[in-house]
Amino acid sequence: MWIKYLNEGISFSLLIGIAWVLYRGLKRNQGYLSEREELLKRYLLFRGDIQVRLKVYGEDEKTFQELLKNLSESWKNFKKTYDEYLLALSRNTVKIRRLLLFLALGLFANSVRLLVEAHYFLGLRHQFFYILGRELSNYVLVILGFLLLRSQTHRFISLKGETTKMEREFLFYSNSLSETGERGTLYDEFAPLEKEGEDRGREN
């Protein structure tokens, strides 16, 4: 009876450990992603305010240059903090994977021990497939955990645990677009002018 309780307790403890690692790890990852999104929103507001000021004070050369300097420094600070959040996300994800793998290996070793014990030492061959099915059900949580972790981080982290490189310049509209080429195509796509509006604009 005590051996049965011990066997059940080991599997139950490992499953609790897997569930706890998943809960804490996924929650921390979500925190990093939320903070990253809030950082992006704050920077967009700041950058929009700077761009408005550039238009208002464009004639004052000293103020204009100072605003450009602030814009450049803010971009560097934004990239640094943005990358720190992605790096923290990557490190935490690698930590979760290692802990899950460690606990899964412990669960696998315990399952093998139970099957060998039931088949050879206890002579319970008729219960072998029952124990096998019961132990396999324990791995549903392990598989679900890895799938949840991947679905949460695959957009930001590669399979090797490295943060995915992101062209941040695309977030803020590169000035390298030509006036009559790609830039005109963007206006046609997102804010097309009606034919009548174009004619009236030309007449005005």
Side-chain angles (χ1 to χ4, degrees):
M1 183 64 67
W2 286 107
I3 294 177
K4 181 179 180 181
Y5 287 153
L6 179 63
N7 291 337
E8 295 291 340
I10 293 175
S11 299
F12 186 68
S13 299
L14 290 171
L15 290 175
I16 290 179
I18 292 172
W20 178 250
V21 169
L22 280 175
Y23 172 75
R24 290 293 302 273
L26 295 177
K27 183 178 180 180
R28 183 169 296 180
N29 276 354
Q30 188 59 44
Y32 291 136
L33 294 175
S34 298
E35 291 172 1
R36 168 185 162 276
E37 291 178 0
E38 291 298 322
L39 173 69
L40 179 58
K41 292 178 182 178
R42 293 195 302 271
Y43 182 71
L44 287 173
L45 291 174
F46 170 81
R47 189 180 179 94
D49 182 69
I50 291 292
Q51 289 175 339
V52 171
R53 290 173 183 267
L54 284 172
K55 293 181 179 180
V56 173
Y57 302 103
E59 297 180 358
D60 188 344
E61 184 64 25
K62 182 178 180 181
T63 304
F64 186 80
Q65 293 299 326
E66 188 66 25
L67 289 172
L68 286 179
K69 181 180 178 181
N70 290 338
L71 189 61
S72 177
E73 291 297 325
S74 69
W75 174 245
K76 295 177 182 178
N77 294 331
F78 166 76
K79 287 195 298 183
K80 179 181 178 182
T81 308
Y82 189 91
D83 290 342
E84 286 176 354
Y85 282 132
L86 288 181
L87 183 60
L89 177 69
S90 175
R91 290 176 176 174
N92 190 58
T93 301
V94 171
K95 182 180 179 181
I96 297 171
R97 285 176 179 165
R98 290 176 178 175
L99 288 175
L100 284 178
L101 185 60
F102 176 77
L103 292 173
L105 289 176
L107 189 64
F108 178 75
N110 185 64
S111 299
V112 172
R113 181 184 65 84
L114 292 176
L115 291 173
V116 171
E117 182 181 273
H119 187 70
Y120 291 101
F121 296 100
L122 299 180
L124 301 176
R125 297 184 179 181
H126 61 284
Q127 294 187 3
F128 177 83
F129 291 102
Y130 168 76
I131 297 175
L132 178 62
R134 185 188 63 186
E135 290 299 312
L136 286 177
S137 64
N138 294 334
Y139 295 92
V140 174
L141 181 61
V142 177
I143 297 173
L144 180 62
F146 280 108
L147 291 177
L148 286 174
L149 187 62
R150 174 170 172 74
S151 65
Q152 185 187 49
T153 61
H154 76 280
R155 290 176 52 197
F156 315 101
I157 301 176
S158 66
L159 294 177
K160 297 180 180 179
E162 300 175 352
T163 54
T164 304
K165 294 182 179 180
M166 176 182 178
E167 296 295 336
R168 304 175 193 84
E169 287 74 13
F170 288 130
L171 290 172
F172 302 104
Y173 192 79
S174 175
N175 291 326
S176 63
L177 299 178
S178 62
E179 289 289 341
T180 59
E182 297 177 52
R183 181 170 296 183
T185 304
L186 290 178
Y187 275 100
D188 291 338
E189 179 181 358
F190 295 110
L193 295 175
E194 295 182 0
K195 190 65 177 177
E196 295 182 359
E198 292 181 357
D199 295 336
R200 291 176 182 176
R202 289 171 185 170
E203 292 177 359
N204 294 332

